């Protein structure tokens, strides 16, 4: 079965630094991968989508890379701020035409002032 | 603003007492999903509707049922809640095209006493 691992349960960094979160997967070749942000007690919010034929995608201070050979995606937040503190989930499309996703457990990011 | 609404935000029920969670959307999306998320775990897809077409995940317990009376509304019925069913239940929507993002509601936190 498909397996997704976000290799850090928690990541603590200083304000202004770049946060790098990792998502690894096995047993599948997803056509695309998404990153979501989830605040405590709230539903996930979509951030970025990257397709298998794209190496990198950017949105403001966010950058996502997708290496289908390594079966890995990296999610970067540059110039991090305390407001970026949240749990970040990666999600893979695993088949079908309705966009079914399998989610990782997430990495809880804490940005200290 | 177009959105996904879940009611109630918190639900307390008794062991074995049927409970219904509701979700509505103003996005006019064809696909609606129900996820279960336990503390520090990944959201787990229970089932989804593509229009009126119901799709059950293979490992979703029979105790969980769903109804979608129209495009805007979807319900999650738990016929006999057990202590292990205490979780956050997330509703999400997407359009019917491939590689689409999912829009999540705020979730309903279910407590089983």
């Amino acid at each position: 079965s498909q397996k997704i691992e976000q290799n850090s349960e928690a990541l603590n960094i200083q304000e202004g630094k770049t946060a790098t979160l990792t998502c690894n997967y096995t047993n599948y070749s997803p056509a695309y991968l998404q990153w979501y942000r989830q605040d405590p007690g709230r539903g996930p919010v979509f951030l970025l989508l990257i397709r298998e034929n794209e190496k990198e995608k950017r949105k403001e201070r966010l950058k996502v890379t997708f290496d289908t050979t390594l079966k890995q995606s990296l999610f970067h937040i540059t110039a991090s701020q305390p407001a970026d503190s949240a749990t970040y989930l990666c999600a893979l499309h695993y088949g079908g035409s309705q966009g079914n996703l399998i989610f990782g457990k997430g990495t809880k990011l804490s940005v200290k002032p | 603003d177009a959105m996904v609404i879940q009611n109630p935000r918190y639900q307390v029920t008794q062991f074995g007492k049927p409970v219904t969670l509701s979700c509505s959307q103003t996005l006019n999306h064809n696909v609606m999903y129900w996820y279960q998320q336990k503390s520090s775990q990944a959201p787990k897809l229970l089932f989804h509707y593509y229009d009126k077409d119901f799709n059950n995940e293979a490992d979703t317990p029979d105790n969980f049922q769903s109804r979608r009376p129209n495009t805007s509304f979807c319900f999650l019925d738990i016929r006999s809640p057990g202590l292990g069913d205490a979780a956050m239940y997330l509703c999400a929507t997407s359009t019917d095209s491939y590689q689409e993002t999912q829009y999540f509601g705020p979730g309903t936190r279910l407590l089983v006493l």
Side-chain angles (χ1 to χ4, degrees), chain A residues 31-32 34 36 38 41-46 49 51 89 93-106, chain B residues 9 31 33 35 37 40-43 45 48 50 55 57 88 90 94 96-102 104-106 109:
Chain A
Y32 64 89
Q34 301 181 16
Y36 288 77
Q38 187 173 25
R42 310 293 296 181
V45 175
F46 170 75
L49 180 153
R51 295 178 175 81
L89 306 168
H93 174 262
Y94 68 90
S97 61
Q98 289 87 47
N100 293 355
L101 298 176
I102 182 169
F103 282 84
K105 290 183 179 181
Chain B
R9 293 294 313 280
V31 191
Y33 307 82
Y35 289 86
Q37 186 178 28
S40 301
Q41 297 296 311
L45 182 65
H48 73 275
Y50 183 83
N55 298 272
E57 293 299 297
M88 175 77 87
L90 297 164
S94 68
D96 58 359
S97 62
Y98 184 64
Q99 297 186 352
E100 274 296 327
T101 64
Q102 295 187 13
F104 284 82
R109 182 164 295 283

Side-chain angles (χ1 to χ4, degrees), chain B:
Chain B
D1 288 340
M3 58 197 319
V4 181
I5 302 163
Q6 290 189 245
N7 286 306
R9 293 294 313 280
Y10 299 91
Q11 177 73 57
V12 181
T13 191
Q14 291 180 331
F15 182 93
K17 184 175 181 180
V19 65
T20 295
L21 309 181
S22 70
C23 176
S24 63
Q25 54 128 343
T26 61
L27 298 163
N28 203 32
H29 284 171
N30 287 334
V31 191
M32 295 187 77
Y33 307 82
W34 278 106
Y35 289 86
Q36 179 193 65
Q37 186 178 28
K38 297 186 177 181
S39 181
S40 301
Q41 297 296 311
K44 179 181 179 301
L45 182 65
L46 297 174
F47 25 61
H48 73 275
Y49 275 93
Y50 183 83
D51 288 331
K52 293 184 178 181
D53 184 23
F54 177 71
N55 298 272
N56 198 36
E57 293 299 297
D59 57 354
T60 298
D62 292 340
N63 197 27
F64 292 86
Q65 303 287 320
S66 186
R67 297 170 282 135
R68 189 178 185 186
N70 53 53
T71 300
S72 301
F73 286 87
C74 196
F75 299 98
L76 170 62
D77 301 308
I78 308 177
R79 294 192 294 188
S80 181
L83 298 179
D85 296 328
M88 175 77 87
Y89 290 88
L90 297 164
C91 174
T93 72
S94 68
T95 67
D96 58 359
S97 62
Y98 184 64
Q99 297 186 352
E100 274 296 327
T101 64
Q102 295 187 13
Y103 297 83
F104 284 82
T108 294
R109 182 164 295 283
L110 178 68
L111 180 62
V112 181
L113 301 178

